[in-house]
Amino acid sequence: MRTTLQEIQDGESFDIVVVGAGMSAALFGALQGAKVLLLEKTEYVGGTTAFSAGTTWIPNSHHAAEIGVHDDSLAKVGGYLDLAVGERSSAELRRVFLENGPKAVKAIETGTSVRYRARPLHPDYISDLEGSTLRGRALEPLPFDGRLLGERFRLIRPPIPEFTVLGGMMIDRDDVNHLLKLTRSFASFRHAVKLLSRHALDRLRHPRGTRLVMGNALIASLLHSLDARGVPVLTECRLERLERDAGGIEAVEVTQKGVKRRIVVKGGVILASGGFNRHPERRRALLPGSEPQWCPGAPGHTGQAHDLAEAVGAHYGKPGLSHAFWAPVSIRKRGDGSVAAFPHFILDRGKPGMITVNREGRRFLNESTSYHLFGIGMQEAGVAPAYLVTDAEGLRKYGLGMVRPGGKGLKPFLADGYLVEGSTLAELAGRLGIDAAGLQDSVRRINEYACSGVDLDYWRGTTDYQRVNGDAAQQPNPNLGPIGTAPFYAVRLYPGDIGAATGFATDTDARVLDGDAAPIDGLYAVGNDMHSIMGGTYPGPGITLGPGLTFAYLAAQHAVARARAPQAQEAKSVVA
C-alpha cells in the first residue's frame, strides 16, 4: 500500500482521484474495482466528520425496519422535505437522494468495515411539519476498535478534546446516560467499569482511547476498508491544479513535502474538501460578521480547492436560507494556546432551568429549537454574544457547555472567565455587563411558565423534537424549569458555522456545473463542496452526511463508467 507521493509515478493514471475527506467516495470507487487515489491536505483523515456525531440522515434504509419502522415512504419524506426546504433547492436532486440513499447504505455495508444502526428515538428537527418522524431516518455508526488500524490509528483526527473524558476517552450519548446513573443502576455501573477498564489499558499503549464512537468510528471504519483494498491515502498532500481539456478534467497536479506529481485522471476528480468556511475572502463575503474562531469545524476546509475548481469553470449554486449550517458555541482558550469552540447541540440550552438572553437581559428566541435555527436566530437578532443562564441546580443536572454535570471542578472555568458566577441574578448580570432588571424579569417569567407548562413568549416544548431533548422528569413541560437556586451561572454564546451549505451546483450524478448549467465532465463535488440539497435548512440530524454519502455513491458510479468507456459516456444526468 502506497502512502507517499514519492511512491506515485509522474504521469501515472487513476480512475478516480478524491480530494479531501471523501473517504466514502473513494471506497465506493474501490468497491467497483476502480484504481483510486485519496488526497488529504492535513495530517489527519476525516475532516469535520471526525469531530461530529457521525449521524447520517438516510430515510427508508433497511435499518429502519430493525427498530420497527414500517410506515415511512418516499412520498412521506418527500412531502416533509417539500415543506421544510421548498423551492430553496432542486426537487429533482432531493428525489434522487431519497431514491439512492438506501442503496448507498446497503452498498457501503457490503464487504466493508462500515456499519450503521438506527436510533430508537431520533426525531426530525422540524417535527411539527407533516411527514416528519421520530425514528428510523437517522443512522449512526457502530463503535469501532481503533486497534484494528495498527499504526494507521494515528491518522484518525482526534475528537474535540472537550467532548472526551479522562484524557481522551470517547463517549456517546448512551455512555453519558450510564455514567450519570453510575451509582443508581447496576447495569450502568457495569457499563462504566467496562469503559474505564478498557480506557486504562489503552492509555498504556496509546495517546488516547481506541474505543471509537460517533464520527471517529465512521472515519476509522472507512480507513480500515480503504486500507484493506490497497487504496493510497496520502496525507499532507495538496492539490495544486486541475487540468481541463475539451473532454473534461484530464489530470491534476499535486504536491507533498516538496514532491510534485502530475496525475492523469481517467474517470474523474471528486471534490470533498469540506467547503469554503476557512477561506478568508469567501468567509467575509458569505458569512459577514462571523469570526473564524467561532467555527468548530476541522481546519482543512480552507476553500483552496474551490479556487482551483472555479478556474476550470465551476459555479456556486443559488443561495438558500443560509450559506452555512450553524450552532451556538462557547469559546475558551486551552492550556496549549489553541481556542476551543464548543458547540451547544442538545446537552444544556434546551433543558429546563436554562434561558438565553441578550445584553438587555431579555430572551429573544426559543432555546429548545434546533441548533441551526438557534444560530440563525442569534444572527437575525444581532446578538453576539448571547448569555446562557442557569442556576446551581441546572448546572448540577445538565452542566453548562464545557462544564460537565455535577457542579464540581468549577475553579479553572471561573478563573479564566469562561464560566461567570453570581450569588444573585443582579450580581451575575453585573459581571456579564448586561441589564440586571431585564434578566430578573426574564427569570420571573420563565419561572411562571415552568409552573404552567406554557411558554407564552417563545413556546418552548411545543414540538416532539423539543420535548425529546428536554428532561422527561420535569413536568408539566420537559423544557421548562425554574431558575432560583443560588449561585447563578452563565456562559457566552456565539453563532458558530459548523459547515458550508453553499457549494458547487451539480447535476444528479454530482457532476459540477459551469455558469451555463452545463456539466464539467470528470469533475464532481460531494459533501460540503456540493451545494446543499437542503437549501440551507436543517430538517434532521445528519443532513450533511446523508446526502454526502449518497452523492459520493452516485459520483463514484459515474466516474467509474467514464473511466471504462470515456468516449461512450454521454451526459444523461438531469441538470438541476
Side-chain angles (χ1 to χ4, degrees):
M1 179 175 57
R2 295 179 287 180
T3 59
T4 68
L5 193 58
Q6 188 76 47
E7 299 168 279
I8 307 294
Q9 298 297 314
D10 194 45
E12 186 173 348
S13 66
F14 285 83
D15 297 322
I16 296 175
V17 174
V18 179
V19 177
M23 301 172 76
S24 60
L27 185 53
F28 281 130
L31 287 171
Q32 297 177 72
K35 184 181 179 183
V36 182
L37 175 66
L38 177 66
L39 310 175
E40 167 58 52
K41 183 170 59 178
T42 72
E43 70 271 34
Y44 298 114
V45 297
T48 298
T49 299
F51 284 167
S52 75
T55 305
T56 304
W57 198 74
I58 300 282
N60 297 303
S61 76
H62 61 281
H63 291 295
E66 295 170 358
I67 59 168
V69 175
H70 302 286
D71 61 346
D72 210 355
S73 66
L74 286 175
K76 182 178 179 180
V77 69
Y80 172 64
L81 290 182
D82 287 345
L83 292 173
V85 181
E87 297 182 357
R88 297 186 181 98
S89 78
S90 161
E92 183 66 9
L93 284 174
R94 299 200 299 267
R95 179 191 66 78
V96 169
F97 159 64
L98 294 176
E99 289 180 351
N100 288 279
K103 299 176 186 176
V105 172
K106 179 70 74 172
I108 206 165
E109 288 187 319
T110 301
T112 80
S113 302
V114 179
R115 293 291 182 274
Y116 294 100
R117 64 186 173 198
R119 293 292 306 182
L121 183 61
H122 208 338
D124 292 332
Y125 287 175
I126 317 177
S127 59
D128 52 332
L129 290 184
E130 183 178 356
S132 65
T133 187
L134 296 178
R135 57 184 61 84
R137 295 174 182 171
L139 309 180
E140 67 177 12
L142 294 184
F144 186 84
D145 186 350
R147 295 173 297 190
L148 296 175
L149 292 170
E151 290 298 316
R152 305 278 280 174
F153 176 57
R154 63 180 175 79
L155 295 182
I156 305 300
R157 183 178 299 280
I160 295 174
E162 290 73 22
F163 279 134
T164 67
V165 298
L166 300 177
M169 185 175 83
M170 295 194 71
I171 53 176
D172 60 18
R173 66 179 68 199
D174 294 328
D175 300 329
V176 170
N177 290 333
H178 281 299
L179 291 172
L180 290 176
K181 295 186 295 183
L182 176 65
T183 61
R184 304 194 307 273
S185 162
F186 178 72
S188 293
F189 175 78
R190 184 173 56 188
H191 183 90
V193 168
K194 185 177 179 180
L195 285 181
L196 296 171
S197 299
R198 163 72 181 271
H199 185 63
L201 291 175
D202 279 346
R203 291 309 306 272
L204 295 176
R205 299 179 181 179
H206 304 280
R208 65 182 180 101
T210 62
R211 176 185 176 267
L212 306 181
V213 296
M214 303 186 293
N216 250 225
L218 178 58
I219 295 305
S221 63
L222 286 166
L223 180 61
H224 187 256
S225 302
L226 290 171
D227 285 350
R229 284 156 184 79
V231 174
V233 177
L234 309 186
T235 57
E236 299 179 87
C237 191
R238 180 183 174 98
L239 177 69
E240 301 290 352
R241 189 162 68 95
L242 294 165
E243 294 185 18
R244 180 185 183 185
D245 63 9
I249 301 300
E250 63 170 356
V252 295
E253 185 178 286
V254 300
T255 58
Q256 183 194 53
K257 298 181 179 179
V259 177
K260 179 183 290 188
R261 293 286 187 266
R262 180 181 183 271
I263 296 169
V264 175
V265 183
K266 296 170 62 178
V269 174
I270 301 178
L271 298 177
S273 68
F276 68 83
N277 297 63
R278 296 194 187 278
H279 189 292
E281 288 77 22
R282 295 178 193 271
R283 186 177 186 87
R284 281 193 291 270
L286 301 179
L287 308 178
S290 179
E291 296 295 329
Q293 69 172 1
W294 301 348
C295 175
H301 51 231
T302 63
Q304 179 253 351
H306 287 214
D307 293 340
L308 300 177
E310 284 192 341
V312 296
H315 186 72
Y316 273 6
K318 295 180 180 178
L321 176 65
S322 176
H323 289 296
F325 300 115
W326 301 91
V329 300
S330 52
I331 305 297
R332 188 182 188 219
K333 193 170 183 178
R334 300 187 179 109
D336 63 3
S338 63
V339 175
F342 184 91
H344 292 246
F345 289 129
I346 61 173
L347 296 178
D348 51 19
R349 59 181 174 79
K351 295 292 195 291
M354 303 266 176
I355 61 170
T356 303
V357 300
N358 56 20
R359 289 187 64 83
E360 287 71 46
R362 303 290 180 180
R363 295 174 64 212
F364 59 94
L365 47 58
N366 181 336
E367 294 91 341
S368 299
T369 192
S370 75
Y371 43 87
H372 179 58
L373 292 180
F374 194 108
I376 288 179
M378 292 181 69
Q379 294 172 80
E380 290 178 344
V383 178
Y387 307 89
L388 177 57
V389 176
T390 191
D391 63 1
E393 184 66 8
L395 186 74
R396 183 189 66 80
K397 284 184 176 180
Y398 312 113
L400 198 61
M402 302 182 206
V403 179
R404 304 190 189 284
K408 299 178 181 179
L410 303 185
K411 286 185 178 180
F413 298 100
L414 292 169
D416 64 18
Y418 172 78
L419 182 68
V420 181
E421 180 186 73
S423 58
T424 65
L425 288 171
E427 183 178 59
L428 178 67
R431 291 180 175 175
L432 292 171
I434 67 177
D435 185 78
L439 178 60
Q440 289 169 328
D441 185 61
S442 294
V443 169
R444 177 189 62 79
R445 294 172 70 86
I446 206 72
N447 288 346
E448 291 177 358
Y449 301 156
C451 292
S452 68
V454 180
D455 174 7
L456 296 177
D457 295 326
Y458 295 101
W459 306 103
R460 278 174 70 173
T462 55
T463 72
D464 289 332
Y465 167 76
Q466 294 172 30
R467 288 190 290 269
V468 165
N469 290 322
D471 184 342
Q474 179 69 39
Q475 295 297 324
N477 186 323
N479 300 103
L480 297 175
I483 299 174
T485 304
F488 302 91
Y489 298 95
V491 294
R492 297 171 177 85
L493 299 181
Y494 303 86
D497 49 300
I498 58 175
T502 292
F504 292 119
T506 67
D507 66 10
T508 53
D509 285 311
R511 287 187 298 177
V512 174
L513 305 179
D514 64 19
D516 296 321
I520 301 172
D521 279 334
L523 185 62
Y524 306 82
V526 299
N528 295 99
D529 282 354
M530 176 183 175
H531 195 61
S532 173
I533 65 166
M534 301 302 174
T537 68
Y538 217 115
I543 55 84
T544 53
L545 291 185
L549 178 73
T550 303
F551 285 99
Y553 169 71
L554 294 171
Q557 283 187 328
H558 193 277
V560 170
R562 183 173 182 266
R564 291 173 178 170
Q567 303 303 318
Q569 183 67 34
E570 298 177 358
K572 297 180 180 179
S573 300
V574 177
V575 174

